[in-house]
Amino acid sequence: MSDTAGASPEGQGPPGRTPGQSPRPGTGSSPSGRGLARRRRRRWVWGTGIAVSLALVGGAAAGWAVYMKLEGNITPDEAAAAELARYEKDRPTALVKDALNVLLIGSDSRAGAENGRYGHDPGTERSDTVILLHLSAGRQSATAVSMPRDLMVDVPGCRRPDGSRSAPMFAQFNAAFEVGGSACTVRTVEKLTDIRVDHHVVVDFEGFKDMVDAVDGVEVCLSEPIDDKDAHLRLPAGRVTLDGEQALGYVRARKTLGDGSDTGRIERQQRFLGALVNKVRSNGVLLNPVKLYPLLDAATSSLTTDPELASLRGLYELVRGLRDIPTEGVQFLTVPRESYAGDVNRDQLAQPAAGELFERLRKDEPVSVNTHGEQKATQKETRAPSQSSSPAPTFSGNTAAEDSCA
């Protein structure tokens, strides 16, 4: 018998391997043969964990960089805040907790290379569009009230850009912004309506265009072709998707579209804003980071707001409650007005309709719009977001749910 025949089992190598032969790749030195595999698996898990950690850190850093960029885009309106604080005791008191009133101001400033394309920069600017946006306390509705720029109003004494102060005057509404900027416009609106303005937002021409382009254009319906050299518009009738440049011309054009009135221009603005709201909500923009970032970048780059809103957190808190408002709950209307007695080319508030509208907004009571009604139609019952027992008055306007081509 050979020596090998008398060797104990412990002295033999594993089956399939002669003594002294190295273990096969993938086997271990333990009785089960899994030791090396576990060590390699631990190294793989450890390496994967490091990679994931680095990815998360990198993602967080990138996210933070994006956050800081968007945050830095917004310009806080510190001067307006100081001016409004100066007149705090004269300002209206908010009546309903959690209801918000935001003044949206479209500036016609020609400052800067892009804005300068739309005319000479005289060193001043007027409000091309002003909308008082009322958000109900339960965020069941949003009512946007356009304030015509030709409305004759009492403008209070305001601080001019050079530090001097203007005297109170009776003038066109858009003169308030030219005289004293956003603070003067806020005070003029509060004096006119007795409604507390909680926040204000100013956007210029370029910012408007960028936001439209960021959502890949907005579709509108044209009843007839447009050929407007002043607005640089040449569009066919029917459904048309407007890019930023075309959209700006569409909402600003006046003399060559419709009857040439400011009323027609305001109605086009309201229809366009309704279509924009629909596009943002229906196109998955709010839930798609790839689509959302360009919109946020365009929006924040063009905004000047009160300091409380001048942050992503502030803007988020403002829009968070708007996501669940149905498009039919987003309403657009124009403050009731009529021809001014002293000049048929100017407007004045139509009473008592205007006063009733302001009172209901101040008390957070509902109003209703009727696209085919008169400025102040007969009252009718609507489902009210508040506990008001009185019927909601109906005003001429539209909602974001309406299709102008239908």
Side-chain angles (χ1 to χ4, degrees), residues 75-128:
T75 302
D77 200 348
E78 302 286 359
E83 179 72 356
L84 292 173
R86 175 188 177 100
Y87 292 96
E88 177 60 36
K89 67 179 187 323
D90 299 325
R91 300 182 64 194
T93 301
L95 299 183
V96 180
K97 182 181 179 182
D98 294 331
L100 283 179
N101 296 295
V102 184
L103 198 65
L104 309 176
I105 304 171
S107 165
D108 71 353
S109 171
R110 268 68 169 183
E114 289 298 325
N115 290 328
R117 296 168 52 199
Y118 304 102
H120 172 67
D121 177 15
T124 61
E125 54 185 329
R126 290 197 177 195
S127 50
D128 196 61

Side-chain angles (χ1 to χ4, degrees), residues 19-32:
Q21 183 179 350
S22 299
R24 293 191 303 273
T27 65
S29 60
S30 67
S32 65

Side-chain angles (χ1 to χ4, degrees), residues 35-50:
L36 180 59
R38 279 200 302 269
R39 287 196 297 273
R40 288 178 175 172
R41 187 159 54 249
R42 283 195 297 269
R43 287 197 295 270
W44 181 85
V45 171
W46 182 83
T48 302
I50 291 295

Side-chain angles (χ1 to χ4, degrees), residues 98-102 133-137 139 141-143 318 322 364:
D98 294 331
L100 283 179
N101 296 295
V102 184
L133 176 64
H134 174 77
L135 308 177
S136 67
R139 299 300 186 266
S141 67
T143 303
L318 176 64
L322 305 181
D364 196 30

Side-chain angles (χ1 to χ4, degrees), residues 234-247:
R234 191 169 187 178
L235 301 169
R239 292 186 183 273
V240 180
T241 298
L242 305 180
D243 62 23
E245 188 75 34
Q246 293 169 326

Side-chain angles (χ1 to χ4, degrees), residues 311-353:
S311 68
L312 288 183
R313 179 180 295 276
L315 291 174
Y316 173 75
E317 290 298 324
L318 176 64
V319 303
R320 181 175 61 175
L322 305 181
R323 293 176 297 183
D324 297 327
I325 298 179
T327 50
E328 59 269 20
V330 181
Q331 304 181 123
F332 300 89
L333 61 114
T334 305
V335 63
R337 83 276 191 211
E338 59 193 9
S339 292
Y340 171 54
D343 185 344
V344 294
N345 294 315
R346 300 291 179 262
D347 293 328
Q348 64 186 23
L349 292 181
Q351 299 294 1

Side-chain angles (χ1 to χ4, degrees), residues 7-282:
S8 65
E10 288 80 4
Q12 297 176 358
R17 181 175 64 86
T18 59
Q21 183 179 350
S22 299
R24 293 191 303 273
T27 65
S29 60
S30 67
S32 65
R34 300 192 189 95
L36 180 59
R38 279 200 302 269
R39 287 196 297 273
R40 288 178 175 172
R41 187 159 54 249
R42 283 195 297 269
R43 287 197 295 270
W44 181 85
V45 171
W46 182 83
T48 302
I50 291 295
V52 171
S53 298
L54 289 174
L56 290 175
V57 170
W64 180 250
V66 169
Y67 180 93
M68 293 304 294
K69 179 184 186 301
L70 295 176
E71 179 103 351
N73 284 347
I74 309 169
T75 302
D77 200 348
E78 302 286 359
E83 179 72 356
L84 292 173
R86 175 188 177 100
Y87 292 96
E88 177 60 36
K89 67 179 187 323
D90 299 325
R91 300 182 64 194
T93 301
L95 299 183
V96 180
K97 182 181 179 182
D98 294 331
L100 283 179
N101 296 295
V102 184
L103 198 65
L104 309 176
I105 304 171
S107 165
D108 71 353
S109 171
R110 268 68 169 183
E114 289 298 325
N115 290 328
R117 296 168 52 199
Y118 304 102
H120 172 67
D121 177 15
T124 61
E125 54 185 329
R126 290 197 177 195
S127 50
D128 196 61
T129 301
V130 173
I131 295 175
L132 179 62
L133 176 64
H134 174 77
L135 308 177
S136 67
R139 299 300 186 266
Q140 294 175 297
S141 67
T143 303
V145 181
S146 294
M147 311 294 289
R149 60 185 180 185
D150 293 339
L151 192 68
M152 299 301 293
V153 298
D154 289 311
V155 178
C158 297
R159 182 183 184 277
R160 295 189 180 98
D162 63 4
S164 64
R165 293 200 167 266
S166 66
M169 60 182 176
F170 184 69
Q172 283 183 233
F173 175 75
N174 65 348
F177 194 73
E178 180 180 22
V179 171
S182 53
C184 194
T185 303
V186 167
R187 293 180 58 217
T188 299
V189 169
E190 291 185 338
K191 183 178 180 65
L192 183 70
T193 66
D194 199 29
I195 294 172
R196 173 79 177 206
V197 174
D198 302 291
H199 301 291
H200 68 271
V201 177
V202 182
V203 60
D204 62 17
F205 291 160
E206 190 61 22
F208 174 83
K209 286 167 37 182
D210 288 346
M211 283 188 281
V212 174
D213 286 333
V215 296
D216 298 324
V218 174
E219 185 181 77
V220 297
C221 191
L222 306 177
S223 58
E224 57 186 24
I226 294 178
D227 189 0
D228 188 323
K229 294 181 180 179
D230 292 336
H232 307 289
L233 278 181
R234 191 169 187 178
L235 301 169
R239 292 186 183 273
V240 180
T241 298
L242 305 180
D243 62 23
E245 188 75 34
Q246 293 169 326
L248 180 62
Y250 178 73
V251 299
R252 294 193 66 242
R254 176 173 176 175
K255 296 180 179 179
T256 58
L257 295 184
D259 60 4
S261 68
D262 196 41
T263 299
R265 187 181 69 93
I266 290 174
E267 289 174 352
R268 281 196 305 277
Q269 291 174 353
Q270 293 172 347
R271 287 195 297 270
F272 182 85
L273 290 175
L276 176 59
V277 169
N278 244 331
K279 180 66 177 286
V280 171
R281 293 178 61 119
S282 64

